[in-house]
């Protein structure tokens, strides 16, 4: 998260860490990517047709794992929507490369913080 969410302060990241376990429990489908040593290197969470989260270890970025996860989500779970922080241009660009486009923008994130979200759809 620190590698891609540069707009968040240390205390904000710590606050997010506090509710990650609860957020993960609420996700109906959690898919974990593992490397050749069977070590986890990333995961995505899906609820309905919405990608709720996608995270990769820093070492795994640029190796195609994110693309494999997204394609799996689209094929196996019919993922069609997601939200991404506007201040995360690498993620936005990745999702656009994967065929998603912005259809809505908010001025604040789901917690009410001043971090705009971009809502994206496939197609």
């Amino acid at each position: 998260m620190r590698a891609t969410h540069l707009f968040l302060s240390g205390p904000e990241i710590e606050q997010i860490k506090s509710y990650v376990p609860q957020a993960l429990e609420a996700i109906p489908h959690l898919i974990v990517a593992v490397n050749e040593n069977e070590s986890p290197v990333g995961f995505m969470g899906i609820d309905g047709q919405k990608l709720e989260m996608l995270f990769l270890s820093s070492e795994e970025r640029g190796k195609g794992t994110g693309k494999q996860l997204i394609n799996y989500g689209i094929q196996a779970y019919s993922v069609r929507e997601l939200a991404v922080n506007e201040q995360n241009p690498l993620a936005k660009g990745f999702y656009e490369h994967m065929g998603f486009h912005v259809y809505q923008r908010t001025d604040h994130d789901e917690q009410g913080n001043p971090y705009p979200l971009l809502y994206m759809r496939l197609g």
Side-chain angles (χ1 to χ4, degrees), residues 11-31:
E12 288 171 316
I13 290 174
E14 291 303 314
Q15 181 183 19
I16 290 169
K17 279 184 185 180
S18 71
Y19 62 78
V20 166
Q22 181 182 1
L24 290 174
E25 287 179 17
I27 296 295
H29 305 286
L30 188 64
I31 295 93

Side-chain angles (χ1 to χ4, degrees), residues 30-34 40-44 69:
L30 188 64
I31 295 93
V32 179
V34 297
V41 294
F43 68 91
M44 71 176 171
L69 282 169

Side-chain angles (χ1 to χ4, degrees), residues 13-94:
I13 290 174
E14 291 303 314
Q15 181 183 19
I16 290 169
K17 279 184 185 180
S18 71
Y19 62 78
V20 166
Q22 181 182 1
L24 290 174
E25 287 179 17
I27 296 295
H29 305 286
L30 188 64
I31 295 93
V32 179
V34 297
N35 64 14
E36 61 278 354
N37 300 321
E38 298 297 315
S39 297
V41 294
F43 68 91
M44 71 176 171
I46 299 170
D47 188 357
Q49 293 184 317
K50 185 175 182 186
L51 177 70
E52 292 289 345
M53 58 186 75
L54 173 66
F55 290 97
L56 297 175
S57 67
S58 296
E59 302 80 29
E60 202 63 22
R61 292 176 63 213
K63 295 182 178 180
T65 305
K67 184 176 182 177
Q68 289 175 333
L69 282 169
I70 289 288
N71 283 333
Y72 181 75
I74 291 168
Q75 293 169 2
Y77 295 93
S78 301
V79 167
R80 297 291 178 263
E81 294 188 29
L82 60 90
V84 64
N85 288 96
E86 186 176 65
Q87 297 93 334
N88 190 347
L90 292 177
K92 178 182 179 273
F94 168 72

Side-chain angles (χ1 to χ4, degrees), residues 85 105-119:
N85 288 96
R105 179 188 182 276
T106 63
D107 289 333
H108 297 86
D109 65 14
E110 285 116 355
Q111 289 74 41
N113 297 314
Y115 303 121
L117 291 177
L118 302 174
Y119 290 88

